[in-house]
Amino acid sequence: DTGVSQDPRHKITKRGQNVTFRCDPISEHNRLYWYRQTLGQGPEFLTYFQNEAQLEKSRLLSDRFSAERPKGSFSTLEIQRTEQGDSAMYLCASRKGPRSPLHFGNGTRLTVT
Amino acid sequence: AQSVAQPEDQVNVAEGNPLTVKCTYSVSGNPYLFWYVQYPNRGLQFLLKYITGDNLVKGSYGFEAEFNKSQTSFHLKKPSALVSDSALYFCAVRDPNDYKLSFGAGTTVTVRA
């Protein structure tokens, strides 16, 4: 169990640019989540995958956000035309079964200037 | 809809004293409840969970939590706090019929030597 891995750890980008983050879940976990966390707040749900199927998307996820999990293993989260309000920590998590806890990566901190 | 309330933004205790972090929840069915801890610039680490069974659950690092259905509470406790317990603590709830885990806003715990 090597844990959930996220890359990059930090990303600074200019407003209007596109960014892509990667998440590698724990290998036997077929359920994968993306959350967003801003300073002083708890994580907010963005989207959920079971294997390669994206089963739920939050209304927080505007059309500028897209997530994929093409082979049911790693996942990517892309933000197009970034805005300053997108600055946050983006957390990926995975879990094995219906009663299992989420295991989180260390996150990608995005700063939009 | 499911939600979590952590009524205290901050909890301050002296090392060696008991620590309690409060959590109440709202969910339509029987809840799955979790506690996580977060250190600066890191992801969330799982501490313990309640799914079913004994109302008192024990977790990592000497923490425990008591599920109280009538009060819809799931308070986190540690009999003797350590300075190293200083961190941000999140309570979370999931309806078994839902995919996503909903988090509270977090409680910052400071344990003074």
Side-chain angles (χ1 to χ4, degrees):
Chain A
D1 179 353
T2 58
V4 177
S5 177
Q6 291 189 246
D7 184 69
R9 288 296 311 276
H10 303 276
K11 178 71 177 178
I12 300 173
T13 191
K14 293 184 186 301
R15 184 165 51 93
Q17 297 295 304
N18 299 344
V19 294
T20 300
F21 310 141
R22 178 181 169 119
C23 171
D24 287 271
I26 295 171
S27 58
E28 65 267 28
H29 289 188
N30 64 343
R31 296 163 167 87
L32 185 145
Y33 296 74
W34 286 97
Y35 279 80
R36 180 170 64 189
Q37 185 180 22
T38 53
L39 202 60
Q41 299 297 318
E44 296 173 300
F45 170 79
L46 292 178
T47 191
Y48 165 69
F49 289 87
Q50 187 162 322
N51 300 311
E52 66 274 14
Q54 188 175 22
L55 296 186
E56 189 169 347
K57 284 175 61 171
S58 166
R59 283 169 288 184
L60 292 175
L61 220 60
S62 76
D63 291 345
R64 297 183 298 105
F65 287 71
S66 63
E68 293 182 343
R69 194 181 184 199
K71 296 182 180 179
S73 55
F74 73 92
S75 175
T76 57
L77 178 67
E78 182 183 16
I79 309 174
Q80 296 182 326
R81 304 181 302 282
T82 52
E83 302 173 355
Q84 286 188 321
D86 297 332
S87 295
M89 174 81 90
Y90 290 84
L91 294 165
C92 178
S94 67
R95 66 180 171 93
K96 187 173 182 180
R99 296 184 168 192
S100 301
L102 291 183
H103 295 264
F104 282 84
N106 283 327
T108 295
R109 181 166 296 284
L110 173 66
T111 302
V112 182
T113 62
Chain B
Q2 57 193 31
S3 64
V4 172
Q6 293 182 241
E8 300 159 317
D9 291 337
Q10 292 204 346
V11 169
N12 299 305
V13 297
E15 189 173 35
N17 281 2
L19 169 63
T20 299
V21 186
K22 295 180 181 177
C23 170
T24 58
Y25 65 89
S26 174
V27 70
S28 57
N30 292 318
Y32 291 172
L33 293 158
F34 303 83
W35 275 100
Y36 286 83
V37 61
Q38 186 176 34
Y39 296 96
N41 297 313
R42 302 296 296 271
L44 281 69
Q45 294 179 31
F46 168 69
L47 283 178
L48 52 79
K49 66 178 180 180
Y50 171 82
I51 302 296
T52 188
D54 194 350
N55 289 344
L56 183 66
V57 293
K58 295 186 183 296
S60 306
Y61 313 118
F63 284 95
E64 58 188 31
E66 185 164 13
F67 170 62
N68 187 317
K69 188 171 184 177
S70 63
Q71 297 186 1
T72 62
S73 67
F74 190 57
H75 301 330
L76 181 70
K77 300 181 181 183
K78 186 170 184 179
S80 178
L82 301 172
V83 172
S84 57
D85 293 328
S86 299
L88 183 56
Y89 290 80
F90 290 100
C91 182
V93 67
R94 184 163 74 86
D95 184 316
N97 295 317
D98 200 346
Y99 302 120
K100 62 182 176 291
L101 195 58
S102 297
F103 288 85
T107 299
T108 299
V109 170
T110 303
V111 182
R112 60 187 183 277

